[in-house]
Amino acid sequence: MKKVTKIAQNTANLTEQTKLRVAAYCRVSTDSDEQLESLDTQIKHYKSYVNANPEWEFAGLYYDEGISGTKKEKRPELLRMIADCEDRKIDLIVTKSISRFARNTTDCLELVRKLLNLGIFIYFEKENINTGSMESELMLSILSGLAESESVSIAENNKWSIQRRFQNGTYKISYPPYGYNNVDGEMVVNEQQAEIVRYIFASILSGKSTHKIAAELNNRKVSTKKGGRWTATTIRGMVGNEKYTGDVIFQKTYTDVHFNRHNNRGEKDQYLIKNHHEAIISHEDYEAAQDIIEQRGKEKGLERQHKKYQNRYPFSGSIICGQCGGTFKRRIHSSGRHRIAWCCSIHIEDIKKCSMKYVPESDFEYAFVTMMNKFIFGHEFVLKPLLISLRGLNSDETMGNIQALDRKLEENAEQRNVLVGLMTKGYLEPAVYNKSNNELLQEAERLRRQKESITRFLNNDFQNLSEVSALLQYATKASIMKGFDGDIFKRFVERVVVYSRAEIGFELKCGITLKERLVR
């Protein structure tokens, strides 16, 4: 008879192993004292709530203070919690409500689906929804949509309230510019900072450049309002700020329906209040400084708020550093063979962050001429085959695939309608309905994603097809280029990537990238 040895069950850590690691997330919309008290209450609540359940193990509390809930990118603690979920440090998330978690339907569903793929569920207390056992995404979509509508409504109410305060002159500037402090809602001169403001305006009036003023302040170890370093952009912004004259213009920026902020170029009303607070700079000095800045711009060929400001040279904004991703700036050397060159803006600011050295402008021009001459000489062997292949991708077969997906989506919707009808008449058990409906919703989502992917690919191909056709047409008719043409460069090149001082890549608008060696 065979000998059988029993291996006893290990129950020592069984309870501990089955415990769920539960994290809590909470958020308050503003940083007022009342809201922060609410945050303290939520923190205490979740600590006791999680610890009271013997099957749960507290995995931490994540909370964002004074941050709007309209976009997940603006909530660092939420993003940190998601990162911990990806690192398998959390099994379950508890939060007060959908509106506390996300007031944007897209963000809410995206986060829920992302966590579900990781096997992590969310429990919304107020709505009593657990994404691990929820009937479908339909209810969550509706509730998060309502939360988003609520957020938009609150934003509109706040805008109306602010507009009224603009109109009657009672709006309080909570964060005044450098040179002022906020004292009981009023702008009061900070004498120590005011001296720096007067120095900046005096320097502008004496003929100093904004770059030189910024360098002098940094050498003197003078900090900006936020404790950072001075830049020419900061100086220009201060010189153009009317608040230093004692006047104030309200609504110089505005927020659109997607919660993105823009400079007000006349899209919204603006409100001017004279003698709103104590002045640091006289109106005469302020206007004189504006005239100097404007005159310097004209001398350099710049126009305020004009595209020419960003694209006055063919390569402006088009050259990207392959090492750090920074944009190249045009530099004029006072001596040497390479008088005009382009250099990485990150390298200019801090050589330790990027070691990419300057590249002469003539090298870019020569490389572009070389590339275009290759197209002109060999368009039959390069561009024509590419055009034929792109036309093949945009065939009737691809359009047929999209139509087939549309038919499947219609059938899916009809099946869900039938399920709803059967459920309403009592012919279908709730459990069976939920299971079938979830399967149909998942199938519909998969079909939609597939259609979006094909459509996006097709749209890109149509664009590429048009660009390749234009390039082929040019190369067929053009003669060999003997010199650089900025208009041709801007017509066909999207951007230039500098891999090294010996090699660059031209990313063309037709979707291909060609590398060229820099010859010196």
Side-chain angles (χ1 to χ4, degrees):
M1 182 177 178
K2 295 182 179 180
K3 182 179 178 181
V4 178
T5 302
K6 180 181 178 181
I7 301 175
Q9 178 183 354
N10 182 10
T11 60
N13 296 318
L14 186 59
T15 304
E16 186 176 340
Q17 291 173 353
T18 58
K19 280 189 175 183
L20 286 178
R21 295 166 297 177
V22 181
Y25 176 77
C26 53
R27 174 185 61 81
V28 294
S29 300
T30 68
D31 54 4
S32 64
D33 293 338
E34 293 82 359
Q35 290 284 23
L36 292 180
E37 287 178 9
S38 170
L39 178 62
D40 291 335
T41 303
Q42 291 184 60
I43 293 172
K44 293 176 183 177
H45 163 71
Y46 284 118
K47 281 185 177 179
S48 58
Y49 180 76
V50 173
N51 291 328
N53 192 324
E55 297 181 356
W56 288 0
E57 177 184 353
F58 188 62
L61 183 74
Y62 302 80
Y63 58 92
D64 287 307
E65 299 179 29
I67 298 174
S68 168
T70 53
K71 292 186 177 180
K72 68 178 186 298
E73 291 84 0
K74 295 183 178 181
R75 291 191 278 161
E77 281 294 285
L78 174 65
L79 298 178
R80 186 171 72 87
M81 181 178 69
I82 300 300
D84 286 346
C85 289
E86 293 174 338
D87 292 338
R88 304 294 177 181
K89 297 178 181 179
I90 299 171
D91 299 316
L92 176 68
I93 296 170
V94 178
T95 188
K96 183 179 179 181
S97 66
I98 293 173
S99 63
R100 294 289 93 187
F101 187 69
R103 284 191 173 173
N104 178 300
T105 308
T106 303
D107 282 354
C108 184
L109 294 178
E110 179 187 333
L111 291 172
V112 167
R113 290 167 183 166
K114 183 174 185 177
L115 292 172
L116 282 174
N117 290 334
L118 296 172
I120 299 169
F121 308 135
I122 308 172
Y123 176 63
F124 301 99
E125 286 187 287
K126 182 179 178 181
E127 294 83 6
N128 193 27
I129 290 179
N130 187 325
T131 59
S133 58
M134 57 192 287
E135 295 179 359
S136 70
E137 286 188 342
L138 181 61
M139 183 58 68
L140 188 64
S141 300
I142 293 172
L143 292 173
S144 57
L146 290 174
E148 182 175 358
S149 299
E150 178 190 358
S151 180
V152 173
S153 176
I154 291 171
E156 290 301 320
N157 290 337
N158 287 337
K159 286 180 184 178
W160 180 86
S161 173
I162 292 171
Q163 286 280 346
R164 295 294 296 173
R165 283 179 276 161
F166 283 164
Q167 293 168 7
N168 58 33
T170 60
Y171 183 81
K172 304 295 183 183
I173 299 175
S174 58
Y175 192 76
Y178 186 89
Y180 290 96
N181 292 331
N182 185 333
V183 180
D184 298 327
E186 301 294 332
M187 286 177 60
V188 178
V189 174
N190 179 322
E191 282 301 332
Q192 184 178 357
Q193 294 180 359
E195 285 301 315
I196 301 298
V197 174
R198 297 186 188 101
Y199 166 78
I200 290 172
F201 274 85
S203 298
I204 291 290
L205 296 175
S206 68
K208 289 183 181 179
S209 70
T210 53
H211 286 279
K212 187 172 182 179
I213 297 170
E216 288 178 353
L217 291 174
N218 289 325
N219 291 335
R220 289 168 53 183
K221 308 297 182 183
V222 177
S223 297
T224 62
K225 191 172 182 70
K226 293 184 178 180
R229 290 175 57 82
W230 294 89
T231 65
T233 303
T234 305
I235 302 297
R236 281 194 295 271
M238 290 179 64
V239 174
N241 194 336
E242 83 291 339
K243 293 183 180 68
Y244 292 116
T245 66
D247 300 340
V248 62
I249 297 177
F250 289 130
Q251 197 157 249
K252 290 192 285 188
T253 62
Y254 68 95
T255 304
D256 62 21
V257 294
H258 302 293
F259 304 100
N260 296 316
R261 185 160 290 278
H262 304 276
N263 289 324
N264 188 357
R265 311 294 185 201
E267 297 86 352
K268 303 289 182 181
D269 292 334
Q270 292 186 331
Y271 305 88
L272 169 64
I273 300 179
K274 291 184 174 295
N275 302 318
H276 177 270
H277 52 273
E278 183 182 351
I280 297 176
I281 301 298
S282 68
H283 283 88
E284 292 76 17
D285 287 348
Y286 176 80
E287 293 298 334
Q290 304 312 301
D291 291 340
I292 290 174
I293 294 293
E294 187 174 351
Q295 180 60 33
R296 286 178 183 168
K298 290 179 179 179
E299 291 173 358
K300 294 181 179 180
L302 312 183
E303 296 178 32
R304 185 176 294 183
Q305 308 303 337
H306 195 278
K307 290 182 180 179
K308 188 179 179 182
Y309 183 85
Q310 293 295 336
N311 300 295
R312 56 192 184 275
Y313 305 111
F315 295 127
S316 294
S318 300
I319 305 176
I320 306 299
C321 179
Q323 184 179 123
C324 69
T327 304
F328 272 52
K329 290 184 177 181
R330 191 173 188 263
R331 311 285 283 179
I332 299 178
H333 297 162
S334 58
S335 61
R337 185 163 60 94
H338 302 135
R339 187 167 182 270
I340 301 176
W342 292 80
C343 188
C344 174
S345 57
I346 304 299
H347 175 84
I348 295 172
E349 293 176 5
D350 189 349
I351 192 173
K352 294 180 181 178
K353 292 183 179 179
C354 180
S355 60
M356 184 72 73
K357 296 182 179 180
Y358 75 88
V359 177
E361 184 174 73
S362 56
D363 286 7
F364 289 111
E365 293 176 346
Y366 185 83
F368 175 74
V369 171
T370 301
M371 178 190 70
M372 292 304 296
N373 283 336
K374 288 179 181 177
F375 278 135
I376 294 169
F377 180 77
H379 63 270
E380 291 280 350
F381 310 103
V382 179
L383 295 178
K384 274 194 176 180
L386 178 60
L387 187 65
I388 293 171
S389 65
L390 285 174
R391 284 174 175 166
L393 288 173
N394 295 299
S395 62
D396 294 337
E397 182 182 353
T398 305
M399 298 303 296
N401 290 337
I402 293 178
Q403 293 173 355
L405 289 171
D406 283 334
R407 288 193 295 270
K408 289 181 180 179
L409 283 168
E410 290 176 4
E411 293 172 1
N412 184 284
E414 291 175 0
Q415 291 173 2
R416 280 184 282 136
N417 288 334
V418 171
L419 282 177
V420 171
L422 294 174
M423 178 67 178
T424 304
K425 294 177 181 179
Y427 297 148
L428 205 62
E429 293 292 330
V432 177
Y433 166 78
N434 292 335
K435 183 176 182 299
S436 301
N437 193 51
N438 281 337
E439 290 175 353
L440 287 172
L441 284 170
Q442 291 174 6
E443 175 67 13
E445 180 64 21
R446 185 186 66 79
L447 292 171
R448 274 193 293 270
R449 289 180 180 176
Q450 190 175 349
K451 179 185 174 182
E452 288 174 3
S453 177
I454 295 175
T455 304
R456 187 164 55 248
F457 180 74
L458 196 60
N459 289 339
N460 289 339
D461 280 341
F462 275 126
Q463 179 66 27
N464 292 342
L465 180 64
S466 174
E467 292 293 341
V468 171
S469 178
L471 183 58
L472 176 60
Q473 187 177 6
Y474 169 80
T476 303
K477 297 179 179 179
S479 56
I480 296 296
M481 289 182 68
K482 297 180 179 179
F484 178 75
D485 189 323
D487 291 334
I488 299 299
F489 172 84
K490 287 190 287 187
R491 172 62 187 88
F492 294 113
V493 178
E494 185 69 35
R495 66 176 192 170
V496 182
V497 180
V498 179
Y499 303 113
S500 68
R501 299 186 80 193
E503 186 179 48
I504 62 175
F506 291 97
E507 294 185 1
L508 305 183
K509 292 180 180 179
C510 64
I512 61 176
T513 300
L514 294 177
K515 292 184 179 181
E516 288 290 338
R517 302 291 296 179
L518 297 181
V519 180
R520 298 187 182 180

